[in-house]
Amino acid sequence: VLDDNKILTLANGDRIPMTDNVKLMFEVEDLRNASPATVSRAGIIYVSDSDLDWKPVLDAWLRKRPDAQAKMLASSFSKYIGECAGPKDVGHLFQFMIRRCHAVMSASRVGMVEATLRLLTGLLDGADLSVSEADASGELERLVLLSITWGIGGLLEPEDRSKFDEYLRELSENMPPNEMTCYECTINLDTMEWEPWSPPSWKYPKMEVEFSTLLVPTVDSTSASFLLSNIHKQRAPVMMIGGSGTAKTTTAQMFFDAMDAESMLIKRVNFSSATTSGMFQAAVEGELDKRGGKNFGPPSGKSMTLFLDDVSMPEVNKWGDQPTLELVRQLVETGGVCFLDKDKRGDFKVMEDLLYIAAMNHPGGGKNDIPNRLKRHFFIFNMTTPSQSTIFSIYGAMLAGKYPASKVPEDFGSVAKGLPAATVSLWTWVRQKMLPSPAKFHYIFNLRELSRVFQGILRVSRESVSTAPMLTHLWRHECQRVFMDKLVTIEDKQSFQSQLDQTTATLLADARGGGLAAAGLGAEAEGSRPSTSTSQDGKKKNRRESKAVIPNMAGGKSRASTPGSSAMLELEPEYTEPKYFVDFLHDDEYDEDGILVAEAPKIYDEDGILVAEAPKIY
C-alpha cells in the first residue's frame, strides 16, 4: 500500500486500492521492527526527547495558575530542578539523579515533571495559603519540595532516597527537621508546616477473621494512601511498583475500603502471562452498562476504579511488544476501545467514568517492563521494603490483639512480645545464608514467608495455645513449615535447625529477663544519613552508630551489641522435641440418617501423636 500504485494486497490474493484522498501517518516509538522497504517508502521525521524536554510542560502549567503564585512557583522550580537549556543541560536535579541515583524503573523527564505538577495541583487545591506574600512564598516552596520528592524522587530505593534528601537540604532551609527525611513527612494543609506521617490507630477485630483481612496501617501505607488519594481525586491514573511482599495490593485494598461504596465501584483485574487483549476487554465490558449510543459506563451512573494488578505480567511477543498493554494504553489514553461485534467492528466504544490504579513488580531480573507510551499516563511511585521497625509494629500489633496482656500469663506475654524480633532475626539469617543457585532456584525468602509464619500463629485458637512453652512450640513449627520445608539438602536443614535452636534459646532467655539477645535481633544502620528511631525505653538512637541497639524482648532495658556478634545459648531439651499442628483432626458431622450436616471445621491445633492420625493423611 506504500507503493506509488497505493494497492493493498492481502494474503488471500485480494487487492484493495486506496483512494487518492486517503493518507497514512505513523507515530511510533522506534523503527526496530520496520523493514528497509517500509522505511524507504515513508518520510521519516525524528523528534528527540530533548527537542522540547520538560520546560514547555512546566511553562504551560504555570500559565494556568494565578499570576502571584506562578511567579513564586517558577522561582522554586528553577531553584530545585534547574533550567532546561539543551540536551546537555537538563537541570541540576536530573543531572544529580543520573550521576548519583538509580531509579527502580526508567521514566522520562517529562513524565516525572508531569507527575510532580499533578501532585502539586492536588496539594494547592486543598492548601490554606497565607495572605502575606512572604509567608505564602515559604509555604509554596514546601509544597514544591514535597511534590518533587514524590514526583521525581518517588522511584528511588531507601539508600538513594537518603542521597536525594541530602541534596535537597543543600539547596533549601525549608526542609523537615534533621531527624526526618522528606519521605517521612507530609505537609499539614491547614498549618502549612512539615509533620511526620501519622498512621491511624488499629484495633484487633473482636471476632476471629481471616489473616488476609487483617490490614494494619503503617507509615509506608499511610504515605502511599495519601498519594493515591491525591491523584485519584483528580481522576488521574496512579501506579505502585515494588518488590514481592511490599504490600502493594494490601495498600490498594486499604484505600478501596475507605471509599464511598455508594458512588464508587471497584473492579480488580489480575494480569498474568496468559492474559490477552480480548480477555482484558471482556473483563472491563462485563462491568459496564449501555448509557446511550456508543457510550458505556458503570451501572446507576456511578464511577468505577479499575485496579490493574501485576500489570506488567502479559507476555512480550517476539517483536518486543505487549499487545495486551497496548489495549490498556488505548483505554487509559482515549477513554474507550473498539467494538468487537460483527456489525459494529472497528467503531469506537466510549467508556465513561473509569479511573485506574495499577500495581506491578520491579522490572528487570526476568520481570517485564511496561511500554513507555503506557507509563507516561501514570503517576508512579516505589513501594519500598518495610523497615524492621515497621515489621515489628505490624506483627506486634497483631499478636498483642490476639493475645492481650490482660488475658494471658506474664511469661506467655513476654514470649509473644519477642516473637516479631526473633522471627525477623531468623528470616534475615535465612535470606543471607540460603541463597538461590541453579540447583536451588526456589530459595527465595521474601516478606511473604515472614507473613506466613505469623499467619500460622494467628490461626490457632487461644484455648489451644495457653502456655508459653506451647506458644514457643507453635512458633518453631511455623518456622520449620515455612522456611525448612523449602530446603532441599540435609546440610541446609541441619544448619537451619541449629540456627532455629539458637534463636529459640535467645527468645526464651529474653522472655525470662535474662538480658541476653542473639545477634541479628537488632537493626543495623539503615541509609547513610542520620535519622532516629525510638527504642522501648523511649530514648532515641542514631542509625549511624557503629553498634546496633537490640531490644530486650521482656520489655526491660536494651543492651548494645556489635552487629555480627553471637552469644551461644543452649536450648532446653523439652523444646527440641517436635510438635505438629494440623487442621484435619476434626470429623464431618452427620445426622442419625447418615446425611452430612456440616463439613469438618478447619481448626488449626496440635496433633499430639501424628502417627495415630495416619489414616487421615492422604
Side-chain angles (χ1 to χ4, degrees), residues 534-577:
T534 306
S535 62
Q536 293 182 2
D537 59 1
K539 297 179 181 179
K540 290 191 173 181
K541 58 184 181 292
N542 194 303
R543 289 183 188 167
R544 194 180 273 174
E545 293 175 352
S546 60
K547 293 183 177 181
V549 177
I550 299 178
N552 183 300
M553 289 182 253
K557 293 183 178 180
S558 302
R559 78 168 182 91
S561 173
T562 304
S565 65
S566 179
M568 297 300 295
L569 301 173
E570 185 176 352
L571 182 62
E572 299 169 18
E574 64 175 298
Y575 291 101
T576 59
E577 297 179 3

Side-chain angles (χ1 to χ4, degrees), residues 81 93-94 97 112-113 116 147-155 164:
I81 299 182
L93 183 61
F94 288 114
M97 292 189 64
M112 288 190 281
V113 170
T116 301
S147 302
I148 289 175
T149 296
W150 291 104
I152 296 179
L155 292 174
F164 191 84

Side-chain angles (χ1 to χ4, degrees), residues 474-490:
L474 171 62
W475 173 75
R476 285 172 58 86
H477 172 268
E478 294 307 308
C479 290
Q480 292 170 329
R481 178 181 67 84
V482 173
F483 297 123
M484 196 164 80
D485 286 359
K486 252 189 174 183
L487 308 180
V488 295
T489 65
I490 300 297

